Amino acid sequence: MTIQIPIIMYHRIGGIHTRNLYQGYTDANIVISEDNFYSQIKKLLKYYSIIPLGDLVNNIADDFVLPTHPCAITFDDGFHEMYDIVFPILMKLNLSATFFISGNYLAGTNRVRWLDLYYQLLDSGPPTYIDTIIKNTHPNLQNMTNIRMAFKHLLRQLPLKEKYQQLSDLKQALDVQVNTQSLNESVYLSPKNVTEMAKAGMSFGAHSMTHQVMAGMSREVAIYEVIESIRNVREITKQKEVAFAY
C-alpha cells in the first residue's frame, strides 16, 4: 500500500524576535507571521500526527510503524528566528522538526549568503534608484518587468565568486557599507543554538555548504558540498544520521 506523507517546509517566521527581515524575503513569499505559524501548527495537529523526519525515513527503510495521518515539518536555511521563535513553540507543543542548515552560513563564520546580502542591498535605497543602477550595469536586463527579480535570477546562475563580485559592485554603486560580521551574527543560527536545540530533540540536516545551484558544478565540487555539509552537521549535533535537502 502506498502512503503519501506531507512534509511541510518553512523558511522565515516574522515576529518581534526576527532579525533582518528585509523586504526581499516577503516579495519572495517565504515569510509568514509568528501568529500564522502557530495557527498552522495547531491546525495540522487536528488532522495529522506530526512526526520527526527520521521516523519517516525509518519507515521507508525498515517498515517502522507510523502513526495515523503522519506529516513532518522542516525549516530551510537556519535563520536565527528558528531559535528565538520556532524552537519555543515546538517545545511548548512537544513536537520535533528538522532544520536544514548550510555549513558556511552559521553565526560566527563571518560569511553571509549571497541572497541575504542581496536582499539587504535592495533595502538600502529606493527601488527605482536600484533598478536604474542595475539597468546601467546590465543592459540585457533593461527590458525586464521586474529588474531586481531578473538580477537575482542572473546571480543565482553565476559561480560563487562572481556572485559576490557582482554584489560588491552593486554595493559600491549604491555607496552602502555592510558589516559582514554583524550581519552574519544577527541572521543565522549559531553552533551553540544548534547544539541546544539538538539536545532538546530537534534534528538537523545538511543544506549544502554554500547554498548554490549544483547543476552547474563539477562532480568534485558537488560531492564536497554534500559530504562536507553532512560532516559539519554531524560534528555540531553528534547525530549519526543526517538528512540532506537541496
Side-chain angles (χ1 to χ4, degrees):
M1 181 177 64
T2 300
I3 301 175
Q4 293 185 337
I5 301 174
I7 299 175
I8 316 299
M9 184 267 286
Y10 295 94
H11 278 90
R12 300 216 66 173
I13 311 299
I16 60 173
H17 298 293
T18 307
R19 309 174 186 182
N20 301 100
L21 188 57
Y22 303 115
Q23 183 62 37
Y25 299 106
T26 302
D27 293 342
N29 295 316
I30 61 170
V31 184
I32 66 169
S33 70
E34 180 178 351
D35 289 341
N36 193 356
F37 171 70
Y38 186 75
S39 296
Q40 287 186 20
I41 300 302
K42 294 288 285 185
K43 186 74 174 274
L44 280 171
L45 287 170
K46 289 184 178 180
Y47 302 99
Y48 292 94
S49 298
I50 298 176
I51 63 171
L53 190 61
D55 288 357
L56 169 58
V57 175
N58 289 333
N59 171 262
I60 296 171
D62 303 315
D63 293 326
F64 182 85
V65 178
L66 295 175
T68 305
H69 304 304
C71 80
I73 303 173
T74 70
F75 299 85
D76 275 6
D77 300 335
F79 293 108
H80 199 280
E81 68 261 24
M82 301 303 112
Y83 179 79
D84 288 330
I85 297 175
V86 174
F87 181 39
I89 289 175
L90 295 178
M91 292 298 291
K92 178 181 179 180
L93 298 175
N94 195 30
L95 297 174
S96 177
T98 300
F99 301 82
F100 289 97
I101 56 178
S102 296
N104 275 10
Y105 309 119
L106 289 170
T109 62
N110 292 336
R111 301 186 184 100
V112 176
R113 190 175 62 139
W114 70 269
L115 188 55
D116 302 317
L117 177 58
Y118 182 49
Y119 286 157
Q120 189 208 34
L121 293 177
L122 292 185
D123 266 23
S124 66
T128 53
Y129 176 56
I130 295 172
D131 285 355
T132 299
I133 289 177
I134 295 175
K135 286 179 182 179
N136 289 340
T137 54
H138 296 83
N140 57 314
L141 301 180
Q142 285 188 1
N143 296 324
M144 297 293 182
T145 303
N146 189 325
I147 297 297
R148 279 152 286 144
M149 181 67 72
F151 187 53
K152 183 176 79 170
H153 288 310
L154 182 152
L155 288 171
R156 192 182 298 278
Q157 303 304 320
L158 295 176
L160 193 62
K161 186 175 181 179
E162 291 185 36
K163 283 180 173 64
Y164 284 108
Q165 183 59 58
Q166 292 276 350
L167 290 172
S168 177
D169 293 344
L170 179 61
K171 176 166 64 71
Q172 185 174 359
L174 291 169
D175 193 22
V176 174
Q177 298 297 318
V178 177
N179 186 322
T180 302
Q181 179 178 350
S182 177
L183 188 60
N184 164 270
E185 292 177 354
S186 68
V187 172
Y188 307 119
L189 290 169
S190 69
K192 183 178 179 180
N193 298 146
V194 172
T195 299
E196 181 181 341
M197 293 168 70
K199 287 182 178 178
M202 303 300 132
S203 65
F204 285 83
H207 199 39
S208 80
M209 291 300 291
T210 59
H211 203 278
Q212 294 187 81
V213 176
M214 298 176 75
M217 294 179 177
S218 68
R219 176 179 173 82
E220 291 74 20
V221 173
I223 288 174
Y224 169 83
E225 289 279 340
V226 176
I227 300 300
E228 186 63 15
S229 61
I230 290 174
R231 185 203 64 77
N232 183 66
V233 172
R234 187 173 285 136
E235 183 176 286
I236 297 171
T237 65
K238 311 308 178 187
Q239 292 175 203
K240 293 182 179 179
E241 297 177 349
V242 177
F244 181 83
Y246 166 64

